[in-house]
Amino acid sequence: APSRAAASAPIKTREEVLEAVTSGAFPLKDNERDSLRNRSTPLCGTPLRSLYTLLILPLALTRIVLFIVVFTSTGCTAALAACLPARSCGRRCLLAIAMRGIRAGLFCLGYHYIKQTGHPSKDAKIVCANHVSFVETFYLTSLLTPCGMAEIETASIPMVASVLRALEFVLVDKSSSESRAKAGREMSAKLSEKDAPQFLVFAEGQTSDGRQVLAFKDGAFRLGHTVQPVAVRYRRSTFDPTNNPDNMVWHFIRATFDLHHGMEVEFLDVTSKEVDETPADFAGRVRSTIAECLQVPLSNHSHDDQRLQRRCRKLYKRPPDDLAWAMPETRTCKQLLGLDLDACTDAARAYVSRVEASQLEVEDVEAYRKALDVSEADAAALWALRSGGPLAYREFLVAAALRRCA
């Protein structure tokens, strides 16, 4: 099926593509750090870690059992709350109990004390935080009892589904444009209600390792409501809180094998959309505020980078653990090269075929031209800009863009 970026990918000229490369806006060197990868130390990764694992094993098993009990009890309480009329006194009371259950669950996982700076403001209709892990989702939900938006796959988890229903979360299928549009209408309708709860938003649309703030989606910022930015940071031990979507069950279990996890949550000043500000600019301003507070850079990576990386992993016969190269900032690819997600995938297919054939080394411009399948003029222009070494995935992306111009 065509990607949702296909309809909006701009058509670029040869001059525009080469200008993006020569100006440095789209460097030919691949990304070196996978900001989506979980880097928890294996339980037996070192002799010292193995000894620590052995010593903490009884506590970890106790924590796991307690978490299951708390998780189940919270889900059952939320299920009862969902049976009562929305925002009724009975539902509010049961939700208050369920929210304490969520916080108790985090305690079982090692988040005993979470440092909080600033306070939630009732003046803000929307609360927007950077997204690293399930932990800040649980914590902010337990603190605010908000409404929000969640991926439809989340509703397949029985106890979590009960909590989402009780809190009136909007479910969305990110791969469906109809679902996204419907979710947007539901979100707008809920926020317009007089007694509506605050709406919790993770505008990055996915988790990262927290060492940068990813590109924001501007959907929630189109409504013109006041927003309170929230900055979340973690003090990492041998456990990395970055979500591990390939095995979330183990991710929860792994958290119990460290004694304590450090976490800080900072509520920033409430802000509102300025008169002449576009939704994208409003989202960008909130994003910059969070990044400045965390003292981390901005990144143009988006949810499509995660989708591209998953596609690239399937192209290998034996995929490597680190696929940092498969994160070229797909938004930048679309803006500067006119390549959508499917075009990026096709370029990755050509790149991986040469990786597995050990054919990334090129000795001269003619071999370079044949590898990238571009004209002699384009090959000469790119050859003059590269710094040597093996072929990079980004060079295949530029070649794909140039072929579209031919």
Side-chain angles (χ1 to χ4, degrees):
S3 74
R4 62 176 182 268
S8 57
I11 298 175
K12 297 295 181 179
T13 65
R14 177 180 182 274
E15 290 71 23
E16 287 175 323
V17 172
L18 291 177
E19 174 61 24
V21 179
T22 55
S23 66
F26 192 84
L28 295 179
K29 188 177 180 182
D30 280 335
N31 185 45
E32 295 181 348
R33 179 178 177 80
D34 185 351
S35 59
L36 306 182
R37 185 182 175 190
N38 180 280
R39 291 178 171 79
S40 292
T41 304
L43 293 183
C44 297
T46 65
L48 185 60
R49 176 65 240 193
S50 300
L51 177 61
Y52 187 89
T53 299
L54 184 63
L55 293 174
I56 204 173
L57 181 60
L59 176 61
L61 294 175
T62 303
R63 284 173 160 181
I64 293 169
V65 171
L66 287 174
F67 179 80
I68 293 172
V69 172
V70 170
F71 183 73
T72 305
S73 302
T74 300
C76 292
T77 304
L80 288 174
C83 296
L84 300 177
R87 300 165 207 170
S88 63
C89 181
R91 179 180 281 203
R92 291 177 187 275
C93 291
L94 287 174
L95 277 176
I97 297 172
M99 295 306 101
R100 284 163 175 76
I102 292 175
R103 182 63 187 92
L106 287 179
F107 187 91
C108 295
L109 295 179
Y111 291 90
H112 309 130
Y113 171 73
I114 296 175
K115 182 180 178 181
Q116 180 180 315
T117 306
H119 300 283
S121 173
K122 294 296 183 181
D123 295 331
K125 279 276 192 178
I126 296 173
V127 177
C128 179
N130 60 304
H131 204 9
V132 177
S133 173
F134 70 90
V135 178
E136 68 266 9
T137 308
F138 282 18
Y139 178 71
L140 291 173
T141 298
S142 70
L143 188 67
L144 304 173
T145 319
C147 182
M149 190 175 290
E151 291 189 65
I152 197 167
E153 293 85 356
T154 313
S156 63
I157 307 172
M159 298 305 167
V160 174
S162 299
V163 175
L164 296 179
R165 284 198 306 272
L167 290 171
E168 303 176 68
F169 264 61
V170 176
L171 299 179
V172 59
D173 180 0
K174 290 183 178 180
S175 63
S176 168
S177 58
E178 291 182 4
S179 177
R180 295 196 305 274
K182 181 182 177 182
R185 291 192 296 269
E186 289 183 21
M187 178 174 66
S188 179
K190 285 184 180 296
L191 284 169
S192 64
E193 295 174 10
K194 184 178 180 181
D195 59 343
Q198 289 179 306
F199 207 91
L200 178 60
V201 170
F202 297 99
E204 291 168 293
Q206 67 176 57
T207 59
S208 73
D209 61 10
R211 291 179 170 86
Q212 64 284 302
V213 179
L214 307 185
F216 270 21
K217 299 177 182 295
D218 64 3
F221 299 88
R222 297 175 187 174
L223 307 176
H225 293 296
T226 51
V227 176
Q228 182 170 32
V230 179
V232 180
R233 61 173 64 87
Y234 292 88
R235 293 181 179 177
R236 288 169 171 80
S237 53
T238 61
F239 171 71
D240 184 353
T242 307
N243 272 2
N244 182 7
D246 295 329
N247 195 342
M248 283 302 294
V249 174
W250 172 249
H251 189 50
F252 277 80
I253 294 173
R254 177 62 183 82
T256 64
F257 280 86
D258 276 27
L259 192 61
H260 174 73
H261 308 296
M263 176 182 177
E264 298 178 15
V265 176
E266 185 169 351
F267 287 88
L268 306 176
D269 292 337
V270 176
T271 185
S272 57
K273 183 176 175 293
E274 297 176 357
V275 177
D276 298 326
E277 199 171 33
T278 65
D281 290 339
F282 185 24
R285 180 160 58 85
V286 172
R287 177 183 176 222
S288 296
T289 300
I290 294 174
E292 289 172 7
C293 178
L294 296 173
Q295 297 184 335
V296 298
L298 298 175
S299 164
N300 213 23
H301 289 107
S302 67
H303 181 62
D304 274 348
D305 283 280
Q306 185 181 58
R307 297 176 68 198
L308 176 61
Q309 192 181 70
R310 288 175 178 173
R311 292 184 181 187
C312 291
R313 194 172 296 280
K314 294 178 181 179
L315 297 176
Y316 282 92
K317 294 178 181 177
R318 294 182 178 179
D321 291 333
D322 195 331
L323 282 179
W325 65 264
M327 296 182 61
E329 296 189 339
T330 49
R331 283 196 175 189
T332 302
C333 292
K334 183 165 64 175
Q335 293 166 0
L336 299 182
L337 305 183
L339 298 179
D340 59 30
L341 180 60
D342 293 331
C344 292
T345 305
D346 291 337
R349 188 173 289 109
Y351 174 73
V352 171
S353 67
R354 294 191 72 91
V355 170
E356 297 207 314
S358 300
Q359 295 177 346
L360 290 183
E361 298 293 339
V362 286
E363 296 181 356
D364 53 40
V365 68
E366 178 59 20
Y368 188 63
R369 183 191 69 78
K370 291 180 178 179
L372 297 183
D373 189 23
V374 293
S375 67
E376 291 184 1
D378 290 339
L382 294 178
W383 181 262
L385 294 171
R386 74 188 312 262
S387 56
L391 291 169
Y393 170 51
R394 282 173 168 257
E395 292 175 281
F396 284 81
L397 289 170
V398 174
L402 289 171
R403 285 196 297 273
R404 291 184 64 185
C405 303

